[in-house]
């Protein structure tokens, strides 16, 4: 009997090893407003290195999650060895496909989300409530104030230069900014109206997906970018199709811009002081002092915006947000109370009456600003799938939302840092489930 048990064990073991060694059908699913080329870099690498059949299906992300899921489902045949890997919105679509697929005919039997807004994309909320538009307008106003004042010598909001009547537009700062921020860039980041409705934080669709109890193995890869996250994200967006994609393009350039803005601010401030002093000798110089003072104020707007720009962006993406904090204070509690609530001495607004009351701890609440790491676009807490065990979470350090798709030129502490490839290797090499995929 013992021999049969050993034989059964060995048979089961080799069968399981055979399953692990089978070719995997891996579906690399792109994100919002992206194309099938998005995952090309890593799909090509892992198909060459491992027993992996890679496909990069397309879905119409602008149509929202439901239509996207239906389209994607039609591109994936039923197979027990199918693994879905989704970037950004692609991860949400895969999770929804898991939710609606019958257990008897699953399209996806394991999935990995990468930089996915599993709890929503805060930038969609900021687009909907107009805060993204207002923040962009303020950025344009503040950055343009100094240079435009230097150009015309008087406050730009006082000067109105008109085009020919055929153009029918005024060159006020607001008009320039409206032309700047109503282009396709903001819409590209925030998505179509339907996509925003599905992906914004608190959306009913995301709630349905989160409330579904999945039975398949799931992993979440959480990308976390280094500061300044917004400039690195935009750098990767600009250079993603070049031979050397890099997240360092704008951080280097912005350093030079900061030097210029600070230089002009210091120079105009110094000019104000010098002309004000000399004005006691030549009163005409008081006028020049006033002009320099105005120019200094305008340049300071740009200086302040550059210093605060990362914080502003983090608020728009909800990587920084106000949260309720509970704390306790040791204080005098007077006798007079409202049923169900203890009043502090500060609440009643009178001197403490030591004849009636006592000292004690009282629970209070306040709002505090909490800052979370992010990939420059999606905060880390939203990239997470809350129900997953810690062993099913993988962190890609030094990667932003775009860079995570191709980190071939990424560096950390001046050393090569292909964090995406490293974490996929950890998954394919060391897990003991369907994700384990042998090297060729």
């Amino acid at each position: 009997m013992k021999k049969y048990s050993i034989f059964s064990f060995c048979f089961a073991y080799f069968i399981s090893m055979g399953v692990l060694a089978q070719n995997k059908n891996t579906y690399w699913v792109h994100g919002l407003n992206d194309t099938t080329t998005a995952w090309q870099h890593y799909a090509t690498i892992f198909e060459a290195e491992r027993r992996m059949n890679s496909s990069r299906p397309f879905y119409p992300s602008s149509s929202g999650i439901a239509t996207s899921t239906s389209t994607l489902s039609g591109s994936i045949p039923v197979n027990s060895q199918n693994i879905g890997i989704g970037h950004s919105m692609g991860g949400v679509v895969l999770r929804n496909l898991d939710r609606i697929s019958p257990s008897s005919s699953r399209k996806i039997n394991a999935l990995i989300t990468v930089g996915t807004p599993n709890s929503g994309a805060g930038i969609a909320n900021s687009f909907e409530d107009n805060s993204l538009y207002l923040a962009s307008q303020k950025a344009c106003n503040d950055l343009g104030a100094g240079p435009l004042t230097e150009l015309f010598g008087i406050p730009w909001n006082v000067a109105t230069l008109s085009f020919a009547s055929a153009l029918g537009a005024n060159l006020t700062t607001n008009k320039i900014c409206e032309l700047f921020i109503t282009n396709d860039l903001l819409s590209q980041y925030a998505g179509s109206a339907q996509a925003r409705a599905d992906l914004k934080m608190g959306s009913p669709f995301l709630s349905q997906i989160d409330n579904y109890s999945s039975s398949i193995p799931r992993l979440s890869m959480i990308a976390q970018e280094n500061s300044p996250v917004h400039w690195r994200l935009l750098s990767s967006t600009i250079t993603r199709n070049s031979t050397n994609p890099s997240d360092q393009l704008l951080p280097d350039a912005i350093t030079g811009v900061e030097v210029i803005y600070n230089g002009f601010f210091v120079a105009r401030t110094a000019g104000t002081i010098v002309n004000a002093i000399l004005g006691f000798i030549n009163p005409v110089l008081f006028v020049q002092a006033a002009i320099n003072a105005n120019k200094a104020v305008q340049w300071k707007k740009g200086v302040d915006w550059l210093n605060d720009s990362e914080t502003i962006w983090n608020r728009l993406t909800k990587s920084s947000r106000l949260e309720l904090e509970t704390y306790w204070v040791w204080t005098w509690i007077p006798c007079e109370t409202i049923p169900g609530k203890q009043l502090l001495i500060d609440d009643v607004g009178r001197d403490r009456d030591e004849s009636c009351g006592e000292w004690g701890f009282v629970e209070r609440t306040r709002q505090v600003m909490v800052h979370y790491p992010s990939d420059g676009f999606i905060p880390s807490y939203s990239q997470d799938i809350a129900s997953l065990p810690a062993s099913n979470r993988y962190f890609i350090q030094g990667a932003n939302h775009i860079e995570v798709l191709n980190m071939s030129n990424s560096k950390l502490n001046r050393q090569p840092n292909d964090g995406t490839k490293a974490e996929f290797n950890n998954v394919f090499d060391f897990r003991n489930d369907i994700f384990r995929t042998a090297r060729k």
Side-chain angles (χ1 to χ4, degrees):
M1 184 71 179
K2 185 175 181 181
K3 291 182 179 180
Y4 285 111
S5 298
I6 294 175
F7 174 79
S8 299
F9 171 79
C10 292
F11 180 76
Y13 174 79
F14 284 111
I15 287 295
S16 65
M17 289 299 99
V19 170
L20 290 174
Q22 288 180 22
N23 288 355
K24 300 291 170 38
N25 303 311
T26 308
Y27 293 88
W28 303 80
V29 183
H30 64 82
L32 179 65
N33 285 340
D34 219 332
T35 67
T36 57
T37 62
W39 274 120
Q40 182 174 348
H41 178 72
Y42 291 113
T44 302
I45 288 175
F46 290 114
E47 184 168 22
E49 290 183 355
R50 299 175 184 273
R51 298 176 181 179
M52 183 176 289
N53 302 315
S54 291
S55 298
R56 290 178 279 119
F58 175 79
Y59 67 92
S61 61
S62 62
S63 301
I65 295 175
T67 301
S68 298
T69 304
S70 176
T71 301
L72 185 65
S73 178
S75 303
I76 303 176
V78 174
N79 190 302
S80 63
Q81 292 297 298
N82 286 350
I83 298 175
I85 301 176
H87 173 246
S88 191
M89 180 179 173
V92 177
V93 173
L94 283 170
R95 291 185 66 195
N96 192 51
L97 179 59
D98 171 37
R99 181 180 71 90
I100 66 172
S101 296
S103 57
S104 58
S105 56
R106 291 192 181 281
K107 295 297 184 78
I108 294 294
N109 286 273
L111 68 86
I112 303 174
T113 65
V114 183
T116 293
N118 288 301
S119 297
I123 197 71
N125 298 69
S126 295
F127 193 101
E128 291 292 306
D129 65 16
N130 219 34
S131 56
L132 181 59
Y133 177 90
L134 295 174
S136 300
Q137 187 178 57
K138 178 172 171 49
C140 191
N141 287 338
D142 289 351
L143 289 175
L148 291 174
T149 303
E150 288 291 334
L151 182 61
F152 294 99
I154 55 176
W156 183 247
N157 57 0
V158 174
T160 300
L161 302 179
S162 296
F163 283 114
S165 58
L167 295 178
N170 292 324
L171 265 178
T172 60
T173 306
N174 284 348
K175 284 294 182 183
I176 292 176
C177 291
E178 285 173 10
L179 292 172
F180 171 71
I181 63 184
T182 53
N183 63 20
D184 292 335
L185 182 60
L186 296 185
S187 295
Q188 179 179 348
Y189 275 117
S192 66
Q194 185 59 60
R196 290 195 301 272
D198 290 344
L199 292 175
K200 68 182 181 181
M201 290 183 172
S203 81
F205 217 125
L206 287 179
S207 296
Q208 289 182 32
I209 295 173
D210 282 337
N211 291 332
Y212 171 70
S213 182
S214 177
S215 60
I216 69 173
R218 299 175 300 163
L219 310 178
S220 91
M221 290 193 176
I222 300 170
Q224 297 182 339
E225 180 58 286
N226 301 316
S227 181
V229 297
H230 59 321
W231 296 131
R232 293 187 182 280
L233 171 65
L234 193 52
S235 295
S236 293
T237 303
I238 293 170
T239 65
R240 69 177 300 184
N241 294 322
S242 69
T243 54
N244 291 310
S246 172
D247 68 350
Q248 193 59 38
L249 175 68
L250 286 178
D252 289 341
I254 294 300
T255 299
V257 173
E258 289 173 339
V259 169
I260 293 172
Y261 273 78
N262 278 295
F264 271 99
F265 168 65
V266 171
R268 296 313 176 200
T269 301
T272 300
I273 296 171
V274 171
N275 284 304
I277 294 173
L278 295 178
F280 290 100
I281 300 173
N282 181 0
V284 174
L285 293 178
F286 281 125
V287 176
Q288 188 60 44
I291 293 175
N292 276 323
N294 174 68
K295 290 181 178 180
V297 168
Q298 303 309 315
W299 282 106
K300 186 64 165 57
K301 291 178 182 179
V303 170
D304 290 342
W305 187 88
L306 288 168
N307 290 336
D308 297 339
S309 61
E310 185 172 19
T311 299
I312 294 169
W313 180 251
N314 286 342
R315 288 175 182 167
L316 292 171
T317 59
K318 311 304 181 189
S319 299
S320 296
R321 63 181 185 180
L322 286 172
E323 295 185 1
L324 204 62
E325 178 188 64
T326 299
Y327 65 103
W328 294 81
V329 294
W330 177 256
T331 190
W332 178 261
I333 305 171
C335 292
E336 295 89 345
T337 62
I338 296 175
K341 177 183 178 183
Q342 291 178 315
L343 292 180
L344 304 189
I345 191 68
D346 292 339
D347 294 330
V348 296
R350 60 175 175 77
D351 294 334
R352 187 177 75 234
D353 180 4
E354 295 187 0
S355 65
C356 185
E358 62 180 358
W359 287 95
F361 282 105
V362 177
E363 185 181 26
R364 305 289 277 176
T365 59
R366 62 187 172 192
Q367 285 192 320
V368 296
M369 183 64 72
V370 180
H371 305 280
Y372 292 93
S374 77
D375 64 1
F377 194 54
I378 308 297
S380 58
Y381 68 83
S382 186
Q383 295 181 55
D384 191 14
I385 299 177
S387 59
L388 293 183
S391 59
N392 286 29
R393 296 185 180 94
Y394 294 79
F395 292 86
I396 306 174
Q397 301 297 337
N400 63 57
H401 195 72
I402 299 300
E403 184 183 27
V404 75
L405 293 165
N406 182 356
M407 296 184 70
S408 59
N409 200 43
S410 177
K411 288 181 171 55
L412 186 63
N413 298 324
R414 299 184 180 180
Q415 298 298 316
N417 175 45
D418 195 338
T420 302
K421 184 178 179 181
E423 294 308 315
F424 273 126
N425 279 329
N426 286 336
V427 170
F428 298 146
D429 284 336
F430 302 117
R431 294 193 65 88
N432 291 317
D433 50 22
I434 187 175
F435 293 109
R436 186 168 181 175
T437 306
R439 294 177 185 265
K440 289 184 178 179

